[in-house]
Amino acid sequence: MAACYQGFDPAAYLQYNYTPPRADFTRRDSTVCWKLGCLHRAFAEGLLVDVGSGPTLYQVLSGCEAFERLVLTDFLEVNRRELRRWLQDQGDGSLDWTPYLQHVCQLEGRGVSAWTEKAARLRAVVSDVLPVDVHCPQPLAPGSLPSPGADCLVSCFCLESVSPDLEAFTRALGHIGGLLRPQGHLLLIGALGESFYLGGPGVQIPVVPLDEAQVCGSLRESGYTLIRMEVYTLPPDMRVGVDDVSGIFFVKARKE
């Protein structure tokens, strides 16, 4: 799987998935609006760790208001570099996150002009951008997190897209559970029925094609209790050829 990601292009990936039509903020049924709504409703207080951030920030825009400390992680240095560039406000990144910030401000009942405050808040609470390997029993370097672990993990489109099969996906769920305190929460967004996605021009990355029953079974086997599951079916015009995903799941689960 590591070899598959050698040609990953953050700018291309962001263009494929985080621009219209999938990121059309005038449509409530656009893919990104659905994901942001799920995340907005789910966060609580404490330490938040984002597992496999990629080059994206949308998944922590709600969480940055509720948590005093936020840790971003990714396997690829090119993605960690992309995140640091935005966090350090080093000019233009590969994607303008302003519409995302404005949309989440609206979800929170604030005016769109509050997006600058949210951007400042996010930059203030992110304490680290760390390497992670979900296939290691200890995905982060020792001492990266305080004991007894994070209060909440969020992970979006990571585990199924870095695992060669369902068994590896399930093991990865167990590994990241080691980062979470007992009774802490996992917020998981992932693809349903997807066998590949494009990580850059000509870079086709394999994905474990999951269904809802497999996701629930893997969570159970890895020591989580499912609290809520929501499913989004992609409208035809959201199937833009950069993957073969048929749906997206959102899970809130608790570590036992």
Side-chain angles (χ1 to χ4, degrees):
M1 293 302 300
C4 291
Y5 277 87
Q6 291 308 303
F8 188 92
D9 182 340
Y13 174 78
L14 291 168
Q15 183 67 34
Y16 295 157
N17 294 285
Y18 295 99
T19 60
R22 290 185 172 180
D24 183 347
F25 292 101
T26 67
R27 289 180 49 178
R28 302 180 78 178
D29 69 336
S30 77
T31 308
V32 161
C33 289
W34 183 86
K35 292 187 290 186
L36 289 173
C38 287
L39 292 163
H40 165 67
R41 295 187 293 271
F43 283 109
E45 295 182 0
L47 166 62
L48 172 64
V49 176
D50 181 21
V51 177
S53 306
T56 66
L57 292 162
Y58 72 91
Q59 66 275 19
V60 293
L61 295 184
S62 290
C64 75
E65 301 290 349
F67 292 88
E68 292 305 314
R69 183 184 173 197
L70 170 56
V71 175
L72 305 177
T73 71
D74 201 71
F75 181 77
L76 297 178
E77 171 58 26
V78 290
N79 285 337
R80 299 195 299 271
R81 191 182 310 129
E82 178 80 23
L83 295 172
R84 290 191 198 100
R85 193 187 325 168
W86 187 90
L87 291 166
Q88 295 165 7
D89 206 5
Q90 297 178 346
D92 294 336
S94 297
L95 189 73
D96 179 7
W97 292 104
T98 304
Y100 289 75
L101 290 156
Q102 293 173 333
H103 183 77
V104 175
C105 285
Q106 288 183 303
L107 291 175
E108 294 170 351
R110 303 156 69 186
V112 294
S113 61
W115 74 268
T116 55
E117 298 171 14
K118 179 172 285 294
R121 168 70 181 179
L122 178 55
R123 289 185 169 109
V125 300
V126 173
S127 61
D128 295 289
V129 181
L130 300 176
V132 68
D133 187 343
V134 300
H135 296 306
C136 290
Q138 191 171 39
L140 294 177
S144 297
L145 302 180
S147 179
D151 298 284
C152 182
L153 300 181
V154 59
S155 187
C156 299
F157 302 105
C158 173
L159 303 187
E160 74 277 11
S161 62
V162 300
S163 298
D165 50 41
L166 179 60
E167 290 74 19
F169 171 82
T170 304
R171 285 194 302 271
L173 268 175
H175 293 162
I176 68 171
L179 305 175
L180 193 60
R181 66 166 175 80
Q183 305 302 306
H185 289 92
L186 169 68
L187 306 178
L188 192 66
I189 287 180
L192 294 171
E194 183 179 42
S195 67
F196 79 93
Y197 78 94
L198 296 183
V203 182
Q204 185 168 299
I205 296 176
V207 180
V208 180
L210 298 172
D211 60 33
E212 294 169 57
Q214 288 171 323
V215 174
C216 293
S218 293
L219 286 165
R220 218 169 23 246
E221 187 175 336
S222 303
Y224 300 93
T225 297
L226 180 65
I227 297 172
R228 183 169 81 252
M229 185 174 200
E230 300 178 39
V231 172
Y232 169 90
T233 300
L234 266 74
D237 62 341
M238 298 286 161
R239 304 185 186 199
V240 293
V242 298
D243 52 45
D244 60 351
V245 63
S246 60
I248 300 171
F249 67 86
F250 169 80
V251 157
K252 181 176 183 179
R254 182 176 60 248
K255 177 184 174 181
E256 297 306 333

